[in-house]
Amino acid sequence: MTRFDATDADSRRELFAATVNAHRERASEFCTLEPDETPPDSDDELVPWIQFGGETVALDCTDSELDRLKELLGEYPDFRIDDLERPEEADGTHVRITTHSDADRLAAFFDAVFQQAFGYPDDYRAWAVTI
């Protein structure tokens, strides 16, 4: 991989697919994707992230983000929530989603999660922060 960030939909999806492929080729434990900053209109100080490893997508979200994520999963029948953890010491939910998808399908899903569940605009900047 030579590029680690992207700002338009096509470039982000290419970046996400390349990140998944690099993760698989290296047999690393997981890869992590993050936007440049918090979502617009967010009161949260933490930047959302998505991790992928093996056949599992993992992310943390608020209750409203989880509702939007569940709605989005209706468009991705090959993705299913495998586990929801609600630690007492943290606000929100840690979500694990199982899928057997290829890198391009994962890339489209990741981009949709950032936009539809987390509320990012079309021109948000995303980074591959761990491969």
Side-chain angles (χ1 to χ4, degrees), residues 93-128:
T93 304
H94 181 71
V95 182
R96 284 193 202 98
I97 299 168
T98 301
T99 184
H100 302 283
S101 294
D102 65 26
D104 290 332
R105 181 83 167 147
L106 284 161
F109 178 72
F110 298 157
D111 199 38
V113 169
F114 282 127
Q115 290 187 54
Q116 294 177 36
F118 292 129
Y120 282 92
D122 287 339
D123 63 347
Y124 77 96
R125 179 180 301 275
W127 291 85

Side-chain angles (χ1 to χ4, degrees), residues 40-95:
D41 303 323
S42 174
D43 294 333
D44 202 347
E45 296 176 12
L46 301 175
V47 174
W49 49 267
I50 296 174
Q51 285 188 328
F52 175 74
E55 298 172 345
T56 303
V57 176
L59 55 107
D60 290 340
C61 54
T62 65
D63 291 342
S64 59
E65 291 166 346
L66 179 58
D67 289 342
R68 292 189 297 267
L69 176 64
K70 287 178 178 178
E71 187 175 320
L72 174 64
L73 287 170
E75 300 172 30
Y76 291 86
D78 48 331
F79 290 67
R80 69 175 166 75
I81 293 177
D82 192 43
D83 188 36
L84 298 173
E85 291 181 29
R86 292 182 173 89
E88 289 182 27
E89 68 279 357
D91 293 331
T93 304
H94 181 71
V95 182

